[in-house]
């Protein structure tokens, strides 16, 4: 589940009532690791829903939050069929035309393009073979509802674990790289 981790009213789409679920599970060390991971980005690619949430918060966020300067400073690219230029959040522009072509150009122009949230966009990038690494955080909470990263329509893929760290509260930090198509076997053989 990946919907509305930060605030109760962040994303109530589909009647989701568990907003802010991540906050009691964060600690200083895992927060520092998240920031360290994010600080390597020199561009941010977002879907429309995540862009709307971020653009409503980060431009006015307190300067003492480390993510404030980072997210406000990097170029932001937004994949959307419904938004129109100009975008309100400084350093933001729409991804126009073919997504695969634009993202390939973006990856050539930038050293590290990150996607945060943007579940539908991540699914599109996985289908297009444009994901180089997945930084996943698994939290010890089951909510039973909400948007999922690997929901219906996910392209079958094998992943190779490159890093695994356990944080306080039982949170797992997992880093994967794509490893082609999944292998299948037969338990009866």
């Amino acid at each position: 589940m990946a919907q509305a981790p930060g605030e109760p009213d962040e994303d109530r789409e589909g009647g989701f009532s568990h907003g802010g679920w991540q906050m009691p599970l964060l600690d200083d060390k895992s927060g520092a690791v998240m920031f360290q991971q994010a600080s390597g980005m020199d561009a941010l690619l977002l879907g429309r829903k995540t862009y709307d949430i971020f653009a409503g918060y980060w431009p006015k966020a307190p300067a003492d939050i480390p993510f404030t300067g980072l997210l406000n400073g990097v170029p932001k690219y937004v994949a959307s069929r419904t938004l129109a230029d100009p975008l309100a959040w400084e350093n933001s522009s729409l991804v126009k035309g073919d997504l695969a072509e634009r993202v390939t150009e973006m990856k050539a122009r930038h050293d590290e393009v990150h996607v945060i949230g943007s579940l539908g966009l991540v699914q599109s990038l996985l289908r297009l073979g444009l994901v180089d690494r997945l930084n996943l955080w698994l939290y010890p909470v089951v909510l039973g509802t909400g948007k999922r990263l690997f929901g219906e329509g996910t392209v079958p893929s094998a992943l190779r674990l490159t890093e695994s760290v356990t944080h306080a509260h039982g949170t797992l930090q997992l880093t994967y790289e794509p490893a082609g198509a999944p292998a299948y076997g037969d338990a009866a053989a």
Side-chain angles (χ1 to χ4, degrees), residues 4-147:
E7 295 181 359
D9 294 322
E10 183 176 325
D11 180 2
R12 293 211 176 253
E13 188 175 324
F16 187 70
S17 62
H18 302 287
W21 59 266
Q22 180 190 45
M23 301 319 292
L25 300 168
L26 285 178
D27 59 84
D28 290 341
K29 183 177 179 195
S30 63
V33 170
M34 285 181 194
F35 180 74
Q36 183 271 328
Q37 283 181 336
S39 65
M41 79 171 123
D42 62 339
L44 179 59
L45 175 60
L46 299 169
R48 187 214 36 96
K49 181 77 174 184
T50 303
Y51 170 80
D52 285 343
I53 292 167
F54 280 23
Y57 178 77
W58 289 111
K60 301 174 286 200
D64 62 332
I65 299 173
F67 277 97
T68 301
L70 176 65
L71 295 178
N72 287 328
V74 298
K76 291 160 283 290
Y77 301 95
V78 184
S80 172
R81 292 182 203 99
T82 58
L83 293 177
D85 282 323
L87 297 176
W89 191 8
E90 190 175 342
N91 297 324
S92 297
S93 60
L94 285 173
V95 175
K96 296 178 181 170
D98 182 78
L99 181 64
E101 289 177 16
R102 298 295 86 75
V103 171
T104 299
E105 291 167 0
M106 207 178 298
K107 289 171 66 172
R109 189 170 48 245
H110 296 283
D111 292 327
E112 212 170 301
V113 179
H114 286 212
V115 176
I116 300 174
S118 308
L119 306 179
L121 175 59
V122 170
Q123 287 298 320
S124 295
L125 297 173
L126 286 167
R127 269 191 300 283
L128 294 167
L130 292 171
V131 174
D132 299 320
R133 181 179 67 236
L134 288 166
N135 292 322
L136 303 177
W137 290 75
L138 180 64
Y139 293 89
V141 62
V142 178
L143 301 176
T145 64
K147 299 173 186 174

